[in-house]
Every structure is written in structure tokens, then in C-alpha cells.
Amino acid sequence: MSLLTAAKARSPVLGYTPDFVSTAVAPYINDIHRKGVRIISNAGGINPLACAAALQEVAKKADVDLKIAVVAGDDLMSEKENLKGAGITDLESGRQFPENIHSMNVYLGARPISRALDLGADIVVTGRCVDSGIVLGPLIHSFGWNRDDYDLLAAGSLAGHLIECGAQCTGGIFTDWHTVPDWHNIGFPIVECSSEGDFILSKPPDTGGLISFGTVAEQLVYELGNPQRYLLPDVTCDFSQVSITEIPGFDGGAVKVCGAKGLPPSTFYKVNATYLDGFRATAVCPVGGPKAVQKAKRTAEAILQRTRLIFSQLGYEDYSAVNIQVLGSEDTYGPHARRSIDGGPREAVIWLAVHHKQREAVEIFSKEIAPAGTGMAPGLTAVVGGRPRVSPVLKPFFFYYPKSNVQINLFLNGQHVEMIEEDLTFTSDEVVSFDLPEISSELKDLPSGPHTYRLEDLAYTRSGDKGNSANIGVIARHPLYYPYLKKTLTAQALENYFQHLLEHEKPEEELVTRYELPGIHGLNFVLKNSLGGGGIASLRSDPQFCETVKMIIRDQRSVLASVLVGLASIVCLGVAPSTTLPTIFIPFFLWMAG
């Protein structure tokens, strides 16, 4: 949204996602009209009316008659002065409301979308809204779900959550990526929903990708906080007991999803604001030859020393922040990196990012990268993209805003048709605790042994980002592994492992919280202050979080497997308990030999 705000500042007809118009709709406008396809998109960004006008031009050129609706009202910039003295603080950091707010948008819900469809819209364009609302809106329209049908609203929101990132639930960035066929033709997801809230998730036949328990479960935990209190404008969702069941007979796979529960939503909307906080630039330079890592590090440090010398002569302050990473040396892994003893790779890449309050200082940095090619280490082969571009740093600021203060307007073919007032009858700000008690009995006396396994062997994993927080979802590949994951993967264990990425504002601050999803035998960890500011504010090479969570953990599965074989022999085959010793150890040694 901040990037689209900057685009609108350059031109009043910009501020939406142009690819939606030119690539997703324009080439297919005749088929869309002929087949009666109805489209809902939040591509309106900061300027949904301009997006709708561009769509109207496409329809006019194709000589098709389409009703194009716009949901407006998410932009709060007109309230900026009123909010400055209201004592608003950031939901994550507690910081005071910034002076230099750049954009400010409410996350709207699904009701305005369903109303636009009720009015006959063929295409509905929104500004900022929750991604899941794009799916929940047409479900409300189709099935007539009421505001207090909380379980149904939660189910529809879950359907939207699972498909909101397209191919991420059809095999994209899947833990078992090597099992996913035909990335070049990957199929996008289809949800077939019933009025009772259950739905089947599949993909088109003859397309690449994969639908399985693992691909869909990974997407369930994507960008998730507390799975028992997933807060949305239309409903408060509990996804902790959701079940995902594979259905045979579908080309490319399919799953049935059910078990979402819901409670009333709050009387507040969440607001995503951004504010200007200086400027940044990033230099990316490949380095080749022996001792490439050492050359890269010394080159980066020398560039910083050189520019700091210039700063001191011109009276500029030091950098607000810098980040040096040598890609290829496992810098991202911090203390868990595997260091080579033979001098390291002969190819590496300098990632050198800086932040400064003044644009002029960052421009000096940008100009001083090229001289490294002739005045420093041999082997610096290029500056990727040329001279680093200086760009503003827009940091996120989240807060809650009363729904009663938001005026939502519907437009149809450029004409205002009605104003929607939020019905607060079915809302509640009562904090309800869903937290499941720790089932300590199942964690006691777990079979144990001398063997260790990578987490990847035992679980599917997926990471996500929201602001400056990351989440890591871990789903057991088999229910038998779940107790081991719960016992081993504590919040403290992850906090210890990721210390090099967590930024403590207070010495004893606990930055990792663990939640449970027993429906899919999963865990979800939320890591606060882990993204270096998050989004375009972060100087890291992976501001949306790296997948280094696939760490080595202890599981002792070998003894567990042998014990289970022995018990099965007793229960299923009637073997006398006096003979259980060989039934346990013989399979154990065969398993070890294999």
C-alpha cells in the first residue's frame, strides 16, 4: 500500500495495481463477459476508483457491458490530524503515533463485497481489505449467511485464507518441493463450498502442482498468529481444530476441509499505516575467485569506512543502520552456519544495505560502490542493477480504529449508489480464552534413543510475516511425531535458536510465543521483532523471514518404531508377552540395517 501511495503521489490516476487490469482482465474481457464470470479483487490499492475507470476503458474498447463496483472507505488519511493527539500507539511496539504518516488504511471485511454482488456487480474492486474477505464476500452473497452465523463465516474465511496466495497451497514453496511436478504450469486453487461451511480444495486438471494434506496444512499456518483467535472484521476464527482430509480420485489431488469455529468480531478495524523514516539503498555485488567470502566482507567494510569518512567531513551523522551479508557464506544462519575449512566458496555475493535519515548521505553511499571494482579486491565482477537506487524507508504502524467511525461507500459504474454503516449488533470486545491446557501426560515417558533427525524429516514447515513479526508453522508428518515436536520445540527452544535474528527492546523480553493446532497436529510460533523492521523497512536479504527453521532436533524415532511393532505383535497376532523381546528387537535391528 505504501508503494501504491507513492505512485498516486506522482500521478492522481495511479495508485492501483495496473497488472490486474492489463494482464489479468484485458486479454480475457470477452470470455469473462460471455461466460458470466464475476470477479472480486483488492487490486484497487490506494485508488480503487481509478482502477475501476481503467477497467471501464477496457470494457468500452471491447464493446462489452459490465457493471463494475467499487468498495471505498478504507483510506483514513483525511483523519490524520485528528488521530495525532488521540494517544494511539502501535499494536506491536507500543510506539506513539508518528508525525510523518504516509498512508493509513483500514482492513475492511466481506460485507461490502457481498452487497456489491447483490446489486448485480460483475466486477468488484476494493482498496485495502482482508484477503480472505474476497472469498467470504461471494459466499455470503450466494448462501445468505447471517452476521451471527459465526461458524459459517469462519469456514468461509478459512477458504479465503487457504487460497489467498494462489499457488502457495497447490505446491508452491512446499517443504517437499522435489515432489511437486511441473512448476512451469502450476495450477491455481479452486474451492467448492457448501452452504454448511465444508469445502473441497482442488486445482484444474492437466496442470502442474500438487494438492495434499501437507501443501494445504502449510498454507493454513501461513501468516497465522493465535489460531484460536484469528481476528477478522466479520468474525473471530478458531482454526485450532480444523481437519484436512485427502480425497482420492482427483487429478492432481484434492482435500476436504472442515472444523472451523467462529465467535463475534470486535467493534474495531485493524489499520495498516506507514510512515517515512529516512532513506535506504542496497548494493549487490558478485565476487569471484579464491577466498571470495573474505574479499566480500573486507570490501563491504571498506565501503562503509570510506563513506563514513566522507560523512564526517561533510557534517553528516553516521548511518542509522547497516547490514552486511555475504550470500554464499551462510550468514543468514548466524551461529548455526556450516563453515568451510578450505577457504570457502569461490563465488559469493555482497549484500550491503544502509539506512540514513538524510537522502544526501545515502546518495553518497550509492556513488561510492563502483570504485570498489577498481580500488579494492580482485574479483568484484559487477554491481547488480547498476548504481544502488536511493528509496524512502516506509515503516508499518498498526492500530485499532472504531468501526463506527468508518464510512464505507459503494460505487457502480462510477456513480455513488449507497453508504454502508457497520452493524455493531453482532460484535463483542470481550476477550475469550481458548487456550488449550498442556497435555503433559502424553509427553511423559516418551520412548527415547540415541538417534537424531532433521525437522524436515518429521514435519512440514511454513513461515510467514506480518509487520516486524514472523511466524513459523510446524505440522507433524504423522500423528505419532506430534508429542515429540511438542516436547522438543518449545517457545524457549526457538528463541534460543533464532537469537541472532531477534531484536530485544528489553533485556528479559520474551519474543517467541507457541500455539497449538491439534486438528492438524501442528504448532505455530510467533517471533516478534524478528524481521529487521519488516517489509521494505528491512535491510536484510530476506525481510520476510528465511526458512532456516529446518533445524536438527532430537526425535529418537527408532526405539518408538520398534516398540510399536512389538505392541502390534501382541495385540494383532496374539503373541504371548513372554516372547515380546524378540518381536521388539528383531524389527529394530532390521530397521537399523535398512
Side-chain angles (χ1 to χ4, degrees), residues 319-446:
Y319 294 107
S320 304
V322 300
N323 180 50
I324 300 175
Q325 285 178 260
V326 179
L327 307 183
S329 70
E330 300 198 5
D331 272 352
T332 304
Y333 288 80
H336 314 292
R338 297 171 183 169
R339 304 298 183 187
S340 174
I341 60 174
D342 61 354
R346 292 179 293 177
E347 293 179 335
V349 177
I350 300 170
W351 179 281
L352 176 57
V354 299
H355 175 267
H356 200 283
K357 297 296 184 183
Q358 294 176 262
R359 173 184 284 273
E360 294 80 4
V362 184
E363 289 174 345
I364 290 171
F365 165 84
S366 177
K367 295 173 183 176
E368 292 300 325
I369 303 301
T374 55
M376 296 183 188
L380 195 149
T381 61
V383 180
V384 177
R387 178 179 290 181
R389 184 170 60 90
V390 178
S391 58
V393 172
L394 295 166
K395 289 189 175 179
F397 185 91
F398 297 100
F399 63 95
Y400 290 132
Y401 189 72
K403 288 180 176 177
S404 57
N405 292 352
V406 176
Q407 181 175 308
I408 303 172
N409 289 292
L410 275 183
F411 296 81
L412 197 60
N413 287 349
Q415 301 297 314
H416 182 265
V417 290
E418 68 180 49
M419 185 182 75
I420 299 176
E421 292 187 6
E422 185 68 44
D423 185 353
L424 302 181
T425 306
F426 303 105
T427 59
S428 173
D429 288 316
E430 179 182 358
V431 178
V432 180
S433 175
F434 296 89
D435 292 336
L436 298 174
E438 181 72 36
I439 307 174
S440 57
S441 59
E442 69 175 281
L443 303 182
K444 292 180 179 179
D445 303 322
L446 285 173

Side-chain angles (χ1 to χ4, degrees), residues 35 39 53 60 63 147 201 203 211 225 262 297 386 433:
K35 296 182 179 182
I39 298 173
K60 183 179 178 180
D63 195 24
R147 292 179 182 272
L201 199 159
K203 66 181 184 67
I211 297 250
K297 287 184 176 178
S433 175

Side-chain angles (χ1 to χ4, degrees), residues 465-477:
D465 66 294
K466 282 189 180 296
N468 197 26
S469 295
N471 85 290
I472 300 171
V474 181
I475 305 108
R477 291 180 181 269

Side-chain angles (χ1 to χ4, degrees), residues 452-473:
T452 61
Y453 294 86
R454 297 187 71 224
L455 179 59
E456 187 177 8
D457 296 330
L458 309 175
Y460 305 107
T461 61
R462 172 67 59 83
S463 65
D465 66 294
K466 282 189 180 296
N468 197 26
S469 295
N471 85 290
I472 300 171

